[in-house]
Amino acid sequence: MSQYETPLFTGLLEHIKKNPIQFHIPGHKKGAGMDEQFRSFIGENALAIDLINIGPLDDLHQPKGMIKRAQELAAEAFGADYTFFSVQGTSGAIMTMVMSVVGPGDKIIVPRNVHKSVMSAIVFSGATPIFVHPEIDKELGISHGITPEAVEAALKQHPDAKGVLVINPTYFGIAGDLKRIVDIAHAYGVPVLVDEAHGVHIHFHEDLPLSAMQAGADMAATSVHKLGGSMTQSSILNVKEGLVSAKRVQAILSMLTTTSTSYLLLASLDVARKRLATEGHELAEQAIRLANETRKQINDIDYLYCVGKEILGTEATFDYDPTKLIISVKELGLTGYDVEKWLRERYNIEVELSDLYNILCIITPGDTEQETNVLVDALRHLSNEFRHQAEVGKKAEVILPDIPVLALTPRDAFYAETEVVPFDESAGRIIAEFVMVYPPGIPIFIPGEIITEENLNYIRKNIEVGLPVQGPEDDTLRTLRVIKEHQK
Ligand SMILES: Cc1ncc(COP(=O)(O)O)c(C=O)c1O
C-alpha cells in the first residue's frame, strides 16, 4: 500500500456509488429525512458518507478491513507500530493512553499544567498523580514543559511509577528535550506518554521539534484535527510496543468510544494522513516561512513582542514551533483578552486564545499573506491606539497561579462527601471540583488540592478581565464545592 492511497475514504466512495437501499441508522437516510435548510447547507456528499459500522464499512472497535488498512498507513506515516483513530478528540486518546498504563493506586508522573483530560483519566482510573512542576516563564506569564532533570528526580523518588506523561509541544509551541526524557524514563523501565495535541505536523519537518515517535516515546495522543487538516474531533493515538501493549490500548479505547463512530471524521483522518505523508514537508515549510515573516513584521511594531528563537536555551525551552505566534501585549497596558475582543470588533479577526498577557495566533498551510497582512495591519493600529498607556503596561506585574498542595487523590476528592461554600471563604479547604480557564484548559485547581488565597485571586483576576473560567458546578463562581469537614 502506498501513502497516496486512502482505503477508508475510497471504500466509502465505492460503497455510496452502489447507492444501497438503507434500512439502517442514521435515520436521515442520505439526508432525505432531515431538516431541508441544514441538508442543503451541508450538502449531499457529506450526508451520503455519514454512515456507521455496517458490514462492508469495517468497525473501529475491531477493525479488520478498510479502517485497519487506513490505521496501518497512518502508523507507517507517523513512525508508530500501531495507530488508533479516535472520534472523541485528543481528549479520548489521552484518556485511553493514561488508563492503559495505570489502575487504582498506581502512580503516574505528570506535569501540573496538564490538560483536563489527563486529570479526568486520573480520576476515572484512581491513579495517584506525582506532579512535576513545569518551568514558568515570568516574562510571558505562561508555563512551559518539564525538564529531564525534574523527571529524573521524580523517578528517583518514585521508581514504581507506571508512566511519565509529557506535553510536547505545549499549546504555545514550546518543546522540552523529549529524547532525554524518554531515555531517562526508559532506563527505569517506565513508558512515556506524550500529549501531542499541538504537534501533529512536527513529525514532517526537520526544523520543527522532534515528534513523540521520533523521540522514541511509547504513546502519543496527536490532534490531527488541530493542525493536520482533518475534521474537528478526529484524532489519533500512536503506539510503540514494548513497554505498552497495543491490545490493551485497543480494549480501553473501545471502552471509552461511542459505538456510533462517525465515518465523516474517520475518512477525514484517512485523507489528512495522505496529505501529511505526501506533502507534509512542503506544507510545513510554507507555514514556517509565512509565520517567520509575520513574526518579523510584528516585532517591528512598538510595544508588541512576538516570541521567537531567543526563547530557547533553558532545559524546558529546548525547541519551539515557529508556526505559533505568541504575541505579548502587556506593554500596551492591555490584557490578551482585551486584544482578542478588539481584534474581533475592529477587524473580524479571531485568535486561537488569549490570556492575561498574550494572544496566540496559529499559522497553518491554510493561511496566506492575505490573512497575515490583515493581522499585522490590525496590530499596528492597536499599537497606535493604545501607545498612550504603554508606560502603565511596562510597570504591570505578571501574576501566575500557585501550584497548590494535593491533600487527597483526585478520585477520593471527587467522590468524597462535599459541601458548597462561598468562593471568598474557601481558602484552606480541599476542593472537590476542577477550575480552569478554557482555552487552554489547564486546571488552576484539581479535586483534592488545598485552596489558596493566591489562586482565588488569580481566578478573580481572570473573571474580572472576562476570560472564560470554567469547571465549577456554580458557573457564576460565587461558590465552590469542597470536601465536607466534620465537626467533632
Ligand atoms: C495540551 C492539550 N491536550 C489535549 C487537548 C484535548 O484535545 P481535544 O480538544 O482534541 O480533545 C487540548 C485541547 O485544547 C490541549 O490543548
Side-chain angles (χ1 to χ4, degrees):
M1 288 256 286
S2 122
Q3 287 293 336
Y4 286 92
E5 289 179 46
T6 51
L8 182 39
F9 180 49
T10 309
L12 281 172
L13 294 184
E14 279 162 11
H15 178 77
I16 62 168
K17 219 190 282 165
K18 292 185 206 141
N19 198 18
I21 300 164
Q22 297 179 354
F23 287 106
H24 60 74
I25 59 171
H28 66 65
K29 312 255 175 139
K30 305 170 195 164
M34 176 179 259
D35 178 75
E36 158 54 27
Q37 191 191 358
F38 186 75
R39 179 176 63 226
S40 54
F41 177 75
I42 284 286
E44 278 172 17
N45 285 341
L47 293 169
I49 63 164
D50 182 27
L51 293 161
I52 54 134
N53 51 341
I54 48 170
L57 301 185
D58 207 4
D59 185 350
L60 186 63
H61 290 266
Q62 216 170 26
K64 292 195 173 74
M66 60 197 212
I67 296 181
K68 181 166 184 280
R69 290 199 299 282
Q71 292 189 148
E72 283 166 359
L73 279 170
E76 186 183 272
F78 284 93
D81 290 339
Y82 294 91
T83 293
F84 297 95
F85 287 177
S86 162
V87 290
Q88 304 200 174
T90 307
S91 297
I94 285 178
M95 288 193 246
T96 303
M97 207 164 58
V98 172
M99 292 173 78
S100 61
V101 298
V102 289
D106 288 340
K107 294 176 186 167
I108 180 164
I109 296 171
V110 294
R112 175 57 182 76
N113 58 329
V114 281
H115 183 260
K116 65 175 185 173
S117 55
V118 176
M119 291 317 306
S120 303
I122 286 174
V123 169
F124 297 151
S125 62
T128 303
I130 306 295
F131 287 125
V132 175
H133 293 197
E135 195 178 272
I136 303 292
D137 190 318
K138 295 211 170 86
E139 271 302 302
L140 294 169
I142 60 177
S143 37
H144 299 316
I146 50 176
T147 64
E149 284 65 31
V151 171
E152 175 123 55
L155 279 164
K156 252 191 203 139
Q157 263 190 35
H158 304 279
D160 54 340
K162 293 285 165 53
V164 172
L165 189 135
V166 185
I167 310 160
N168 202 75
T170 63
Y171 207 140
F172 292 96
I174 310 296
D177 189 348
L178 184 59
K179 174 88 181 59
R180 263 186 69 212
I181 292 177
V182 169
D183 290 346
I184 292 166
H186 283 179
Y188 283 82
V190 174
V192 176
L193 287 43
V194 181
D195 174 348
E196 204 174 47
H198 299 285
V200 66
H201 56 312
I202 61 177
H203 189 79
F204 300 94
H205 201 289
E206 64 287 353
D207 291 347
L208 296 172
L210 222 51
S211 75
M213 292 296 110
Q214 285 162 339
D218 303 273
M219 285 193 269
T222 307
S223 276
V224 186
H225 77 87
K226 284 191 166 74
L227 299 168
S230 69
M231 287 176 71
T232 294
Q233 217 171 306
S234 62
S235 187
I236 55 172
L237 176 49
N238 286 322
V239 176
K240 267 209 181 113
E241 272 207 309
L243 294 176
V244 295
S245 144
K247 284 211 159 31
R248 176 126 184 111
V249 171
Q250 169 78 73
I252 304 229
L253 186 65
S254 194
M255 285 167 74
L256 295 173
T257 298
T258 171
T259 38
S260 307
T261 51
S262 161
Y263 276 74
L264 271 170
L265 299 187
L266 292 172
S268 81
L269 281 172
D270 196 24
V271 296
R273 181 272 313 151
K274 172 190 153 198
R275 196 153 185 258
L276 285 167
T278 59
E279 300 168 64
H281 189 271
E282 198 184 313
L283 294 168
E285 179 92 22
Q286 191 186 309
I288 294 169
R289 201 178 320 118
L290 183 60
N292 280 338
E293 280 162 16
T294 313
R295 171 177 290 102
K296 202 160 156 289
Q297 289 172 304
I298 297 172
N299 278 328
D300 284 339
I301 304 174
D302 291 343
Y303 312 114
L304 294 180
Y305 165 50
C306 183
V307 177
K309 60 174 178 297
E310 68 290 338
I311 198 172
L312 303 182
T314 73
E315 289 285 352
T317 59
F318 181 76
D319 207 347
Y320 86 123
D321 172 1
T323 66
K324 299 288 180 93
L325 301 177
I326 310 169
I327 305 165
S328 165
V329 298
K330 69 178 197 303
E331 271 201 35
L332 278 176
L334 297 169
T335 67
Y337 188 64
D338 292 332
V339 175
E340 174 182 331
K341 279 189 305 184
W342 190 92
L343 288 171
R344 178 175 297 133
E345 282 155 18
R346 301 292 191 90
Y347 282 85
N348 197 20
I349 287 175
E350 294 291 344
V351 300
E352 168 64 20
L353 71 75
S354 67
D355 61 20
L356 293 174
Y357 313 104
N358 312 288
I359 56 167
L360 176 69
C361 294
I362 60 165
I363 303 296
T364 77
D367 291 302
T368 65
E369 264 181 20
Q370 204 178 329
E371 291 84 30
T372 56
N373 285 344
V374 179
L375 176 67
V376 172
D377 283 347
L379 292 173
R380 274 196 203 109
H381 181 182
L382 176 90
S383 169
N384 277 332
E385 188 161 320
F386 293 96
R387 61 171 58 240
H388 64 279
Q389 56 182 51
E391 279 314 304
V392 187
K394 276 205 170 120
K395 291 189 206 115
E397 192 202 349
V398 170
I399 62 159
L400 280 158
D402 242 12
I403 297 195
V405 174
L406 191 69
L408 284 178
T409 71
R411 183 187 176 88
D412 286 346
F414 189 77
Y415 288 110
E417 202 181 335
T418 58
E419 62 183 331
V420 167
V421 296
F423 181 92
D424 292 336
E425 292 165 26
S426 64
R429 301 294 298 268
I430 301 172
I431 194 157
E433 52 190 358
F434 289 96
V435 185
M436 76 205 82
V437 180
Y438 188 87
I442 298 165
I444 300 166
F445 285 123
I446 57 173
E449 285 182 336
I450 301 175
I451 299 173
T452 58
E453 198 55 57
E454 287 74 16
N455 279 10
L456 292 178
N457 277 336
Y458 183 76
I459 294 170
R460 285 187 194 105
K461 173 95 182 152
N462 276 278
I463 297 173
E464 192 185 295
V465 306
L467 281 159
V469 181
Q470 297 182 1
E473 263 171 34
D474 175 3
D475 58 13
T476 66
L477 274 122
R478 280 190 211 102
T479 59
L480 286 176
R481 186 164 284 282
V482 298
I483 309 298
K484 193 161 187 171
E485 286 173 4
H486 292 278
Q487 309 290 335
K488 272 187 244 144

